[in-house]
Amino acid sequence: GLWSGDIPTGFASMAGQRARMLSAINVGAVQWGMDGGGFKNGTPTPENYARWIEFSAFTPIFRVHGDFGQKRQPWVYGPVAEKAATSAIRLRYALIPYIYSYAHRYLTNGIGLVRPLMFDWPDDPALRNDVDSWLFGDWLLVSPVVTEGQTTKEIHLPAGRWTDWFSGKVYEGGRDIRLAIDHATWGDIPLFVRDGAIIPSQPPMDYVGEHPLTQLDVDLFPAAVRTQFDYYDDDGTSYDYEHGAYFSQSLAVQRRGDTVQVETGAVGGSFRPALRFYLLKIHAATAGAVDAGGKAMSSFASLDALQRSQGEGWASGRDRFGAVTWVRMAAAARQTVVLSPQR
């Protein structure tokens, strides 16, 4: 990985790392990292530290580092900064299945986890020199706060439909939007979900592999065009994946009129993880029926009831994104699930 050097603390230094990261990625050095919090010139302020951790959580290599005698643990910077930093760290850990799958994609085709927006929207002149935001994987756009005391932030969203990760508010892209920024507790990260997104996640852990992952949560935002995500896993410790000891399975989704179709593909590789189920969280109109392989799946009154069933099935309700249908389906099996509307 490429490291950006012994950088100073402070907001100006932190803001400057965006261009350094995206320029490195633009010329092929995609495994980029920095000294989160800054390395030299003293101790960052609590606000600077909190915002730097939120920035670092959405870089290819996430690390913190300081000069001799400096500490970079969240609890060193007071309870407000600790809460904001801890939330960002836990969000990154929840996204480990997403991140690790992109690490494998980088190995196979050279496309990394982070990339400039101009890669995907080369005809948008507003994005040609934009270092304020970037894609984190195919499906997340992040625009970290890097200005001290900021109360509002203007962000250019590329063409398409975008959903705020935290509030669920939907925006039409191809324009600038203005967000209110929390300048008191620093806990907000401007983060948006691209239409068609497939985002796997797990419960946050204190370290990778602390608990076996038996169920993978997958947020899906169906679009009119078919989209796909290739989930990947291996033993995490050896080079056996080079000899076929890995697990991969594609997940695809498409909205077709008033129905939604989800497909899981054939399994690749000989590695068999602890994974038993995908819990799909399909953010679309509430389903009235769900079929798997042409047969009706069992319905449950709530998500809790579905989880307690220890098997396949579905339930509907609402979350921060609005109407949602939860579908619990076996992993490592090739099948097609169709959600039909309420009649």
Side-chain angles (χ1 to χ4, degrees), residues 40-64:
K40 61 184 182 180
N41 294 5
T43 305
T45 65
E47 182 184 2
N48 185 213
Y49 175 81
R51 290 306 191 187
W52 212 320
I53 295 301
E54 291 167 351
F55 174 0
S56 298
F58 290 92
T59 59
I61 300 174
F62 180 15
R63 63 190 292 269
V64 296

Side-chain angles (χ1 to χ4, degrees), residues 2-330:
L2 179 64
W3 157 72
S4 68
D6 288 344
I7 55 178
T9 61
F11 278 90
S13 174
M14 176 175 65
Q17 299 307 304
R18 300 170 302 168
R20 297 181 75 173
M21 175 181 73
L22 295 174
S23 295
I25 291 169
N26 199 30
V27 295
V30 303
Q31 294 292 77
W32 183 92
M34 62 180 166
D35 290 347
F39 177 77
K40 61 184 182 180
N41 294 5
T43 305
T45 65
E47 182 184 2
N48 185 213
Y49 175 81
R51 290 306 191 187
W52 212 320
I53 295 301
E54 291 167 351
F55 174 0
S56 298
F58 290 92
T59 59
I61 300 174
F62 180 15
R63 63 190 292 269
V64 296
H65 192 39
D67 202 351
F68 295 109
Q70 285 287 312
K71 298 183 183 297
R72 293 289 180 263
Q73 298 92 333
W75 54 85
V76 171
Y77 295 87
V80 177
E82 179 183 2
K83 182 177 180 181
T86 300
S87 294
I89 293 167
R90 286 178 174 158
L91 177 55
R92 172 126 180 160
Y93 261 74
L95 291 172
I96 286 292
Y98 182 78
I99 294 168
Y100 200 58
S101 295
Y102 281 103
H104 178 257
R105 188 178 76 168
Y106 163 65
L107 174 70
T108 57
N109 65 17
I111 299 173
L113 173 66
V114 169
R115 60 182 187 267
L117 297 181
M118 66 176 178
F119 279 27
D120 289 57
W121 293 274
D123 297 324
D124 187 341
L127 299 177
R128 289 175 188 165
N129 294 303
D130 184 8
V131 299
D132 196 49
S133 308
W134 53 88
L135 284 178
F136 190 73
D138 291 331
W139 305 117
L140 293 171
L141 182 151
V142 65
S143 187
V145 176
V146 295
T147 301
E148 185 175 13
Q150 191 166 12
T151 57
T152 62
K153 181 168 187 178
E154 192 169 279
I155 299 170
H156 183 81
L157 291 178
R161 188 171 183 264
W162 299 90
T163 302
D164 188 297
W165 175 264
F166 295 99
S167 72
K169 184 177 180 179
V170 175
Y171 297 88
E172 290 300 325
R175 63 187 182 95
D176 293 345
I177 65 167
R178 185 174 292 275
L179 290 184
I181 299 300
D182 180 2
H183 64 285
T185 63
W186 323 312
D188 49 345
I189 307 171
L191 181 64
F192 301 90
V193 183
R194 190 177 182 179
D195 204 27
I198 303 172
I199 303 174
S201 63
Q202 66 181 26
M205 301 182 192
D206 288 339
Y207 54 87
V208 172
E210 179 184 12
H211 308 294
L213 183 64
T214 58
Q215 177 175 287
L216 187 70
D217 293 352
V218 186
D219 285 281
L220 300 101
F221 296 78
V225 297
R226 184 179 185 273
T227 55
Q228 181 175 315
F229 180 88
D230 296 326
Y231 174 63
Y232 174 87
D233 197 10
D234 57 32
D235 65 20
T237 59
S238 75
Y239 289 94
D240 290 349
Y241 65 88
E242 294 182 344
H243 307 288
Y246 60 85
F247 174 89
S248 67
Q249 187 171 30
S250 64
L251 296 92
V253 66
Q254 184 173 6
R255 186 178 65 247
R256 296 180 173 178
D258 56 3
T259 67
V260 174
Q261 182 169 305
V262 180
E263 303 169 22
T264 53
V267 171
S270 60
F271 178 70
R272 293 296 173 260
L275 184 66
R276 295 182 59 217
F277 294 104
Y278 296 122
L279 179 65
L280 309 180
K281 303 175 183 181
I282 303 165
H283 303 290
T286 304
V290 177
D291 295 340
K295 297 181 180 179
M297 297 187 78
S298 300
S299 64
F300 293 85
S302 66
L303 175 60
D304 287 343
L306 172 60
Q307 295 278 53
R308 290 194 301 269
S309 73
Q310 300 297 309
E312 294 185 309
W314 69 278
S316 61
R318 298 187 67 81
D319 63 7
R320 70 183 185 275
F321 299 113
V324 59
T325 299
W326 298 284
V327 178
R328 198 166 191 253
M329 60 187 296

